[in-house]
Amino acid sequence: MKRRTFCGALALASVPLAALAPATAFSATYPEKMVKVIVSLPPGSGADTTARFLAQHLTQQLGQPFVVENKPGANSFIAAKAVADAAPDGYTMFVASNTPMVTNAAVFKKLPYDPVRDFTPVASIGRFPMIIVVPANSPYKTLAELVAAMKAAPGKLNFASGTPSYQIAMEQFHERNGIKGTAVNYKGTGPAITDLAAGVCDYSIAEVSSVLPLIHGGKLRALAVADSQRHRELPDVPTAEEMGHKGYEVYAWTGVYFPAKVPKEIAQRVGDIVRSTLNGAEGAAFIQKMGGTVFTGTAQQFTDFQLAEIEKTKRIVKIANIPVE
């Protein structure tokens, strides 16, 4: 009896090891086929360009193709849900911006995905400061002049809002200064900035790479950089803090995610390659060319950052009375 009990215990003890063996072997040989890299923005966007850069390096280092697939539209719902619903096997990856992973959680009552529970944060990529801009022929030459005009006529001036993230960034500025503007919402940054340059709207805020060409081309005037330091491409443009708005720093950011419950070994392997690529000379030069700075760290640091951003954004939405759909 004792011998049979011992054998039975041994058999039971071996079950977890047997169950783990296939997953471990699977992870060790990953990847064995093409990996889809989902992006919620169209080709040519900052997230798309970044995804293609990383896909090239992942392909080179892991020996299987990482292929970018664009799924734009519907406030990034389509792309995010496609990743959330994918098998957690490491063959569907998401290069996401702060819009689907933070902003949507604050401006929508119900989402077809959960930005926290449905994903495995792998690695952050880069951080891109936002710029407050006006049309080149605007009467407002400085940020102080724009603020004064808004205080004199609350709600009269309108601002072009290309995404909910940009609206929140602008409303945060309004709230800090006790001023009001009227949001004109567009389906994308491109149309918003185009109309701003044409004088349809009075001012806006957008991520640096989306406005730099128009600033350099004389179509837009940059009033302030919402960062702790001046931007290297705009050395004559002061920071918001230099203009007396201490602590006003807003960024767009991107990161890599897998669906929830992906094997830890796979997430670690891909994360290590992403971090080493971005921390190398080529990666740093690429992010700098995009107008940003490399923003990497451990997967846990990325997780903590995302959670903090969601809470901060929800507070801003509530304080600024931004409509929640």
Side-chain angles (χ1 to χ4, degrees):
M1 179 65 70
K2 289 182 180 179
R3 183 177 180 181
R4 187 160 56 247
T5 302
F6 172 77
C7 290
L10 182 61
L12 288 172
S14 67
V15 170
L17 296 176
L20 286 174
T24 304
F26 171 79
S27 300
T29 59
Y30 171 87
E32 297 181 295
K33 61 181 181 179
M34 181 193 80
V35 178
K36 289 193 299 184
V37 182
I38 305 296
V39 179
S40 67
L41 297 172
S45 62
D48 172 77
T49 303
T50 302
R52 293 179 190 278
F53 173 80
L54 290 176
Q56 178 185 357
H57 284 267
L58 287 165
T59 298
Q60 292 171 350
Q61 296 194 45
L62 290 175
Q64 291 288 348
F66 281 67
V67 179
V68 174
E69 184 176 322
N70 301 90
K71 290 183 176 292
N75 296 295
S76 296
F77 288 6
I78 297 171
K81 184 164 173 45
V83 178
D85 291 345
D89 55 9
Y91 290 98
T92 302
M93 194 173 92
F94 194 17
V95 173
S97 69
N98 46 299
T99 292
M101 308 314 289
V102 169
T103 306
N104 284 353
V107 298
F108 292 99
K109 294 178 181 177
K110 292 185 179 180
L111 292 174
Y113 66 96
D114 188 299
V116 177
R117 289 197 301 267
D118 291 343
F119 299 89
T120 298
V122 177
S124 50
I125 297 173
R127 192 166 68 175
F128 306 87
M130 296 190 191
I131 313 292
I132 298 176
V133 289
V134 295
N137 62 356
S138 170
Y140 312 116
K141 301 294 193 299
T142 66
L143 187 59
E145 291 179 358
L146 176 64
V147 170
M150 295 175 71
K151 285 184 176 180
K156 182 178 180 180
L157 273 63
N158 54 51
F159 67 96
S161 174
T163 70
S165 296
Y166 294 160
Q167 181 178 358
I168 289 171
M170 199 72 257
E171 294 288 11
Q172 183 180 355
F173 182 78
H174 294 160
E175 190 274 330
R176 290 170 62 99
N177 289 278
I179 55 180
K180 291 184 179 181
T182 301
V184 180
N185 295 311
Y186 289 82
K187 294 183 178 180
T189 305
I193 297 304
T194 298
D195 266 13
L196 178 67
V200 175
C201 296
D202 298 301
Y203 63 105
S204 186
I205 190 168
E207 183 259 314
V208 59
S209 68
S210 63
V211 294
L212 267 180
L214 290 174
I215 294 172
H216 289 323
K219 301 294 185 180
L220 292 177
R221 177 186 300 137
L223 298 186
V225 179
D227 196 358
S228 59
Q229 57 187 357
R230 295 193 180 198
H231 196 275
R232 55 187 167 273
E233 293 288 335
L234 301 167
D236 296 329
V237 178
T239 66
E241 184 158 327
E242 287 179 87
M243 298 297 293
H245 305 280
K246 188 175 182 179
Y248 181 66
E249 299 178 23
V250 286
Y251 309 87
W253 54 264
T254 50
V256 176
Y257 293 84
F258 276 128
K261 299 182 181 179
V262 73
K264 291 181 180 180
E265 297 88 350
I266 290 177
Q268 183 66 48
R269 185 177 305 173
V270 171
D272 287 345
I273 293 173
V274 170
R275 282 183 285 272
S276 65
T277 298
L278 294 171
N279 289 323
E282 185 181 357
F286 171 80
I287 296 297
Q288 182 171 330
K289 185 178 179 181
M290 295 286 290
T293 55
V294 172
F295 176 49
T296 60
T298 66
Q300 186 59 54
Q301 288 172 327
F302 188 26
T303 300
D304 295 342
F305 170 78
Q306 180 188 355
L307 292 173
E309 287 289 290
I310 289 173
E311 290 306 309
K312 181 179 75 173
T313 304
K314 285 182 176 180
R315 287 198 302 271
I316 295 167
V317 167
K318 185 176 181 180
I319 292 170
N321 292 317
I322 296 174
V324 177
E325 299 181 25

